[in-house]
Amino acid sequence: MEPREDTQRPPVYRRVLLKLSGEVLAGPNAPLSMEVTQKIARQVAEVYGSGIQIAIVIGGGNIWRGTTGLKSGLDRPTADYMGMLATIIDGLALQGALESIGIPTRVQTAIEVRNVAEPFIRRRAIRHLEKGRIVIFVGGTGNPFFSTDTTAALRASELEAEVILKGTKVDGIYDSDPEINPDAKRFTQLRYLDAIQKRLSVMDSTAFSLCMDNNIPIVVFNVFAPGNLRSAVFGEPIGTRVCA
């Protein structure tokens, strides 16, 4: 599938970074559902058709979380490296789903897994994007103690992405968990410092700080609602926007 120009309206961004948690790929009875992954891929295909450059950072919490390992007695570095391996599984699944509908995709990893993914090389990643390929970044930053949210902020900064689009299961950032508190208030816009000071759990403070330092806005939205990703790319008011 070749990227094409949208005949109705142009997207507001040239290059975006989509952050997906591993949980969005999970099914009701499996930690990784190819049916759900294919639905996400079809949403990405709608955006790809507009001709923008798309990079993706994928998490691995559907398979393994470092905090789970800590509770089991593992040391933090070992638990985090296991989480990095989980992101590689998710990244390959998403690559397969995208390529099954004709979208050229490359997986780049921060930890070496030579037989299944390219090493992360910034200039090569940019070249892939310029050639119309989607690039999926896995393996986190390659270091323990850093989340995949921080990875998203880092890769967006390195690639000069104009926005981070964080796809979640909820329609933005709330002052408390909307699944627990029916009166939870959704923010339509937040400043970076407010998000950090309020300790909002949608991203960690390191990720927020890196985005603030590099002036990269963040849009948090429900990736499962049909058309939401496309709306975010076209600059429509959706979810919660975090900016200066």
Side-chain angles (χ1 to χ4, degrees):
M1 181 185 293
E2 292 296 326
R4 58 177 173 80
E5 292 298 323
D6 192 284
T7 57
Q8 298 180 350
R9 54 186 175 169
V12 297
Y13 304 112
R14 177 184 60 90
R15 179 180 295 164
V16 305
L17 188 139
L18 174 62
K19 169 59 172 65
L20 297 173
S21 65
E23 284 83 353
V24 303
L25 303 185
N29 301 308
L32 175 58
S33 164
M34 285 309 301
E35 181 180 355
V36 174
T37 304
Q38 287 161 355
K39 289 180 181 178
I40 297 294
R42 286 193 290 272
Q43 284 227 48
V44 174
E46 291 183 14
V47 180
Y48 177 83
S50 66
I52 66 168
Q53 298 174 13
I54 307 166
I56 300 174
V57 169
I58 188 78
N62 54 319
I63 298 172
W64 176 266
R65 281 192 171 277
T67 52
T68 302
L70 292 177
K71 294 176 182 177
S72 302
L74 290 174
D75 60 87
R76 175 67 182 273
T78 299
D80 282 356
Y81 279 121
M82 291 171 68
M84 293 177 213
L85 294 175
T87 70
I88 296 173
I89 295 173
D90 283 345
L92 293 175
L94 184 56
Q95 179 186 39
L98 287 166
E99 292 194 336
S100 72
I101 54 176
I103 299 178
T105 308
R106 298 291 184 272
V107 176
Q108 288 200 347
T109 175
I111 56 176
E112 186 173 352
V113 190
R114 191 177 303 175
N115 288 351
V116 297
E118 300 177 4
F120 168 67
I121 299 173
R122 173 180 171 272
R123 288 181 179 272
R124 181 182 291 177
I126 291 173
R127 187 59 176 156
H128 285 321
L129 294 173
E130 291 173 343
K131 285 182 171 291
R133 300 164 183 149
I134 290 179
V135 182
I136 302 172
F137 297 110
V138 299
T141 65
N143 301 287
F145 302 100
F146 292 96
S147 70
T148 52
D149 285 334
T150 297
T151 303
L154 176 62
R155 296 291 180 252
S157 301
E158 291 174 309
L159 300 177
E160 299 180 356
E162 295 161 298
V163 67
I164 293 176
L165 305 175
K166 176 155 184 176
T168 69
K169 294 183 177 181
V170 294
D171 60 343
I173 302 176
Y174 287 77
D175 60 358
S176 59
D177 190 339
E179 294 185 357
I180 298 175
N181 177 16
D183 297 321
K185 173 188 173 184
R186 182 174 68 85
F187 301 102
T188 56
Q189 185 161 314
L190 279 168
R191 295 186 306 161
Y192 299 113
L193 284 176
D194 290 335
I196 294 170
Q197 291 169 356
K198 293 177 184 293
R199 296 185 176 276
L200 299 173
S201 59
V202 68
M203 294 181 84
D204 59 80
S205 59
T206 304
F208 279 130
S209 296
L210 190 52
C211 288
M212 180 173 63
D213 290 344
N214 292 284
N215 197 29
I216 301 172
I218 307 160
V219 177
V220 181
F221 67 101
N222 182 353
V223 75
F224 288 102
N228 264 8
L229 178 56
R230 185 175 181 81
S231 295
V233 166
F234 281 89
E236 298 175 6
I238 187 173
T240 302
R241 184 180 179 89
V242 184
C243 53

